[in-house]
Amino acid sequence: MIHEDMICPFCGCLCDDLVIETKGTEVVRVDNACTLGSHKLMNAGKHRLKGPIMRDSGQWRDASYEEAIEYAAGILLDADRPLLYGWSSTQGEAQGTGVSMAELLGGVIDSTTSVCHGPSILAIQEVGHPGCTLGQVKNRADLIVYWGCNPTEAHPRHMSRYTTYADGYFLENAFRDRKLILVDVRKTETASIADEFVQVKPGGDYAVLSALRAIVRGREDVVPPTVAGVTKEQLLRVAALCKEAKFGALFFGVGLTMSPGKYKNVRNAIELVDELNRHTKFTLTPLRGHYNVYGSNEVFTWMTGYPYAVDFSRQIAFYNPGETTAVDLMARKECDAALIVASDPGAHFPKKCLEHLASIPTVLIDPMHTMTTPLVKCQIPTAVTGMDAPGTAYRMDGVPIHVKKFLDLGYPTDTEIIGKIFEKVKEVRHP
Amino acid sequence: MMRIVLTMKERTNPHIPIEAEKINPAFLMWGTDDLTVWEGNKERRLDEIFEVEVEGTATSVNEVEVVLRGDTSRVKRIGEYMDGGRITVEGNVGMHCGNFMAAGTIEVMGDAGGWFAREMQGGAIICHGDVGHYCAAGYRGEKKGMRGGKVEVFGNAGDFTAEHLFGGEVVVHGNCGDMPGVDMQGGYLTIHGDCSRPCGNMTKGKCTVLGCVSEMPPTFKKEGEVEGPDGLPLTHFTGDVANRGKGNLLVRHYQYLE
Amino acid sequence: MSELLVKNAYVIDPINHIDGEVMDIAVKDGYIVEDVGPKATVLDAEGCLTLPGGVDSHTHVCGTKVNFGRYMSPEDMRAGREVRRGVKHATSGYSVPTTYANSYRYALMGYTTLLEGAMAPLEARHTHEEFSATPLQDMMANTLFDGNWAVMKAVAEGDIERVAAIVGWTLSAVKGFGIKLTNPGGTEAWGYGKDISCIKDEVPHFGVTPAEIIEAMIQACEMLRLPHSVHLHCNNLGTPGNYACTIGTFNLVPDLNKTRQSLYATHVQFHSYGGSDWKTFCSKAEPVAYTVNNLPQIVIDMGQVMFGKTTTMTADGPMEFNLYRLHHNKWSNHDVELETGSGIIPVLYRKKNLVNSIMWSIGLELALLVKDPWRCLLTTDNPNGAPFVKYPEIIALLMSKKYRDAEFATVNRRTESRVILPALEREMDWNEIAVMTRAGQAKALGITGIGKGHLGIGAEADIAVYPLKVGEIDPAQEYQKIIDGFSKTRWTVKRGRPVARDGEILVHGENTTIWVDPKISPEHDMSHDPEFTEMFNHWYSVRMSNYPVQDEYLKRNLRIETEATI
Amino acid sequence: MKALFNTGRTVAQGQGLEVKARPEYMEATSICMMNPVDLMDLDLEEGERVLVRGPAGEVVLTTVQNEGIPRGTVYVPMGPYANAVVDTETHATGMPDFKSCIVDLEPTDDEVKSQTELMEAVGGLAYRGDEE
């Protein structure tokens, strides 16, 4: 069977032009996807955990869904500071149920945002976000800046769908008419096609951004001959390219959010873009990783007022990244039970967090055997949104996409499982 | 005078944070019976968590002294919105000590957690040990941070010290971490030790670093040499030029990231 | 089957010409009926003021830009925080509160139907997701067409039928309610950082003017027989001297519809400015109101500004950038490909500030100068002029000259020479307030026929009982009682069910999304139009097949099918 | 030898994401990419192993040479191996120093541990129920 215009549930690009051919529960062909997406989709039905598993006196054993759900509700109800973490690779509907459950439990709910673009959000909260949808960039931008990111490896179709290689309505020969600036601490493959490759010394992004802001404002006189490994000549060239563009689009990745200064780097990038808007049109977009991490921010925000790291322990929503974020909670050994949904802290959190995670009661809701599996006490496999479950996801630019289903493997969805846990919780803690 | 001594009891899980904004002379002076604190998601009577001893009475908040004993390193929000009186913490204190404080004195003999004296309005707050990140800082999304009063830290301070500082005075006798005084718009920040990247994006106010600045921001204009405290020669910068800033940054030694 | 009887209600129901009659209202299965049985639940109104549920015909409560306002403003969330209790979720926020907070606060004020003023079609799914998290009001979304490429091309070709076909297809696809134009042409120009100053400027690259877009859309709207008229946010919002542009725009409007206006002009306060710069800024409410009084085909809403903190948000991207340059606080912008734009910045309206004081006066002047209350509706363009929780204060200002004078004494002293407010003696009566807050709004939106905005037999049982004894209060003197009374209903009944009582939320609720599905002949069906589909698949960043909002996004919904003439 | 430790995405790491229990994921994430000159300074050939000691612990990785990586820095794909050395300090932002910790490098003959062994070392219990 051939499925057209399918949506790729891998990264924040949410490409929606995939063609997937299935035979029974096998995927035999995937067209238009990048290597990451097609790898995920070609293996759609494979490597799934067959059913729930639980730890019992030092051994793993199979369990029923009912038993696992009962266990999950129990540990969450017993906890003084339960953590509900993950939420990026799942449906918006499951995220909403998760928020309501965290609220009733008096728990902390956080998404993978906190170890990805959380700092971007902190920056946006200080100075706002001059952004646009990706089609706007595709049709208009004659200058693309990639800063602290590597689209070739992390968002392989970003350049062909939305920037360098995409057709643009207002550009006659889009590929030739669009300039490309790449800023990074290391010379990646993307550098070879860039008009300017700016190699910044690690940790120097903030200084380079400040220098560019000063130059755009006409204050090049104060800027020293080199800034974090970048010559003043190059900074002047880059600033001129930006001002001369009719429409500039800056994309940035975790190179800014994870480096020293974290959100202050992003704030500086935003303020550079604000400054450039006094001269021309300029926009900025964070390159979001998980296909629906932005959705978790959207859902959390309309329900609680905050995009991630929401602490409901006092029955009101409290937000303070650094205090209510998952890594910090685990590092301080605060959480005394955890529900991990559609994410893999086992692979992506520092080791000391994992030591704590392994020492408390925990349930993982994930279709696959992941690095988190060995650390939890119980795992419940579910359908994969975008393969055997439909659902809502938000693209990196905020465009909501209905992700479609093309397989039927008989697994319950995340929304169903979390809904059932929530029902159990409600039986004990009446709203 | 009224003296209230709160001694932390043994807890089953000492890692669970306690939120205790009621530990504030304004509440304690009226009795401790109805006061509660939150241990994780459980609301507890104050005396479930602390041994409470009260001596004397008070007719105004300024006649109240509160003393905290035991392991209070996980107790948050002590002295939040404090508007008079005195709190002494004999050991360490958790996050948000002295949030929004307007008057009175808080003295911490040990170390303090993050957000020490966040958005302080007035009064005095002292930490004899080290303080965490965001000492005397603002809150997420809020443009103005601390507006008045005095913060004094005898140990080291973490990153983002006095972020968004708008008024008042912050003195750190040890070193600061990264980005002290970032986005500051007023007030005084004095660092006796070293720090990195001070005062990025500052618009107003004065920051003095008597130690060594590493990764000096490249967008400050050098104005010349001036004489600092004890006749120390300091270099005077103004900026942040990236942000049309008119702040003053005085440093003893500095180094750019070239 | 559920039955309810609201007894001893002092009813004002302008649509049914009831102006202060003590009566019982019978409700069965969510609708108003002649009579109910003895087992019906009884609410004794004890002679209190009873009105149809409030209708807000222009508010921003759900969707991409509203949520971005929340996302970027944790400081706003520090106000309005309430604990989770019973059926009620925890709430946060003042000017951009959570969906639940919006819904609860509107319900406590007796509002049961809301129109989200601006939905970008590409992001419609988001608006509908938030609708389902707004439990206590029925929701509609005006759909943005101000910078729609396909529309502008059809306008340039002079093909009005094609304009109608595109609008019809889009409304059906995104489950929208009506046509919204925000700074028509200006949002497209903003794609390259430019703006449009008034209706005769040409939109870059598209060879059309705002005037042409507006005129074509008004005709297309009638061809589609949409319940609501074109809903316009004029060009040049917020600039000194813009009143001339506003009047010029109004003069374009033909009278095409017997049952309602042909143009709804929103937040006209922001478009009634005189002067040539901020120094000479003054009110031009008088000529604008005069124009409205002479053109029965136009209905406006106030867009009242009230003092305090708020967040401005609009599809008018260039205007928000200008505001940012004025305030230099945080600024967000979000242009939507081939369709529209948007911008958000926080603001603080201060009494000390001359411009802000004049803005405050202008909104009130418009309401007092437009003679017919059916044609000037009460809004703040929530949250742009102020959060909607300020409505009770606005009601009191309209009902009491004494209150206006008392407030006027506290604003910037130089305001007096720039406005005419102190000279206006009019004090509105209860009936006029009922028109401006529900009946007029329902009529303007074209939803009286589906039982909104009135309490006649067959109407939806959306009822607000206010703790106000009409005969015992003198609104002109006792304005504080008016404010208190309209802030908190004794009961708010939604679809026959009491949802709020004396400030408490009683049920979780489930809303209805009202949308319009114009029935268009096959030859005008855009889904097979080669040029249209080609444009989609070439220049949009989503495939045409993935664009329409799937049915599962509308939980409970009311589809209004119209018989288009194309 | 001291080096700045940088982590991030790679295509191979991204492909391995969905099947982390398999050897492909281990191969994709247990590598240490470094400048050829640094590799020479350590007296190592590409493919030989290096012990990386960071603020939170140490881990053995296989070296891969890459001229795009500046001298004095190493690049390790994000994943359990990188996280064996990254500290939990987030500077109160929620975000650990995934791109800026300082590590010590020395050649080693020790084997690269499997990802399961890493998880067991922090108190986990390997799941083998899905092994064919």
Side-chain angles (χ1 to χ4, degrees), chain B residues 19-50:
Chain B
E19 298 211 2
E21 68 280 2
K22 294 283 158 56
I23 300 182
N24 173 343
F27 295 108
L28 292 166
M29 69 179 285
W30 303 108
T32 59
D33 291 354
D34 301 331
L35 298 185
T36 59
V37 297
W38 286 78
E39 185 178 30
N41 57 17
K42 307 288 187 303
E43 193 170 12
R44 313 262 191 219
R45 286 164 51 94
L46 187 67
D47 60 12
E48 282 182 78
I49 303 290
F50 296 94

Side-chain angles (χ1 to χ4, degrees), chain C residues 1 5 15 49 62-63 120 126 143 154 192 283 291 367 429 495 541:
Chain C
M1 197 176 77
L5 187 69
I15 286 174
L49 175 65
C62 292
H126 185 165
T143 308
Y192 273 120
S283 166
T291 310
D429 62 22
R495 211 186 311 127
S541 62

Side-chain angles (χ1 to χ4, degrees), chain B residues 179-244:
Chain B
M179 295 193 158
V182 62
D183 299 304
M184 76 185 257
Q185 308 144 69
Y188 298 90
L189 169 63
T190 307
I191 301 163
H192 287 264
D194 306 333
C195 69
S196 63
R197 302 197 286 183
C199 297
N201 216 39
M202 90 188 288
T203 50
K204 260 189 201 161
K206 181 178 171 186
C207 171
T208 311
V209 185
L210 300 173
C212 182
V213 167
S214 53
E215 296 185 45
M216 174 71 195
T219 46
F220 277 76
K221 183 166 179 270
K222 199 192 278 189
E223 303 284 354
E225 302 292 312
V226 292
E227 199 171 296
D230 304 327
L232 281 175
L234 301 176
T235 309
H236 177 204
F237 291 90
T238 54
D240 185 339
V241 168
N243 192 24
R244 299 164 172 80

Side-chain angles (χ1 to χ4, degrees), chain A residues 81 323 327-336 356, chain B residues 8 11 13-21 23 37-40 49-50 68-78 89 91-97 111-114:
Chain A
R81 200 154 169 74
E323 180 179 3
V327 167
D328 300 272
L329 245 67
M330 289 186 196
R332 290 194 304 265
K333 303 180 196 292
E334 281 187 23
C335 48
D336 54 350
H356 180 64
Chain B
M8 190 81 177
R11 290 200 290 152
N13 182 347
H15 300 297
I16 305 280
I18 291 173
E19 298 211 2
E21 68 280 2
I23 300 182
V37 297
W38 286 78
E39 185 178 30
I49 303 290
F50 296 94
L68 279 120
R69 286 195 181 137
D71 179 9
T72 49
S73 60
R74 290 282 164 121
V75 186
K76 297 179 184 178
R77 298 177 187 273
I78 286 175
V89 182
N92 302 332
V93 75
M95 295 172 184
H96 299 288
C97 175
D111 298 338

Side-chain angles (χ1 to χ4, degrees), chain D residues 72-113:
Chain D
T73 66
V74 295
Y75 188 84
V76 178
M78 60 192 283
Y81 293 88
N83 279 311
V85 306
V86 174
D87 191 39
T88 54
E89 171 65 75
T90 75
H91 309 267
T93 64
M95 173 68 81
D97 291 332
F98 289 125
K99 289 193 176 285
S100 54
C101 65
I102 303 293
V103 294
D104 207 28
L105 306 173
E106 65 183 65
T108 181
D109 289 329
D110 290 350
E111 292 298 316
V112 175
K113 286 189 176 142

Side-chain angles (χ1 to χ4, degrees), chain C residues 129-196:
Chain C
E129 286 219 279
E130 288 195 34
F131 278 0
S132 50
T134 308
L136 303 176
Q137 285 80 25
D138 292 341
M139 307 299 288
M140 291 161 275
N142 263 355
T143 308
L144 292 157
F145 288 99
D146 36 77
N148 189 293
W149 287 8
V151 165
M152 285 192 293
K153 284 180 183 176
V155 171
E157 290 158 12
D159 188 347
I160 308 297
E161 290 192 350
R162 188 174 173 82
V163 173
I166 293 159
V167 171
W169 180 86
T170 309
L171 285 179
S172 301
V174 304
K175 314 291 191 262
F177 178 74
I179 298 169
K180 174 72 183 293
L181 301 176
T182 293
N183 185 3
T187 55
E188 164 56 33
W190 178 239
Y192 273 120
K194 305 286 189 300
D195 195 4
I196 273 185

Side-chain angles (χ1 to χ4, degrees), chain C residues 321-334:
Chain C
F321 183 66
N322 291 335
L323 270 183
Y324 160 68
R325 288 198 292 190
L326 231 54
H327 294 260
H328 204 67
N329 200 335
K330 48 186 158 185
W331 166 58
S332 289
N333 179 76
H334 183 74

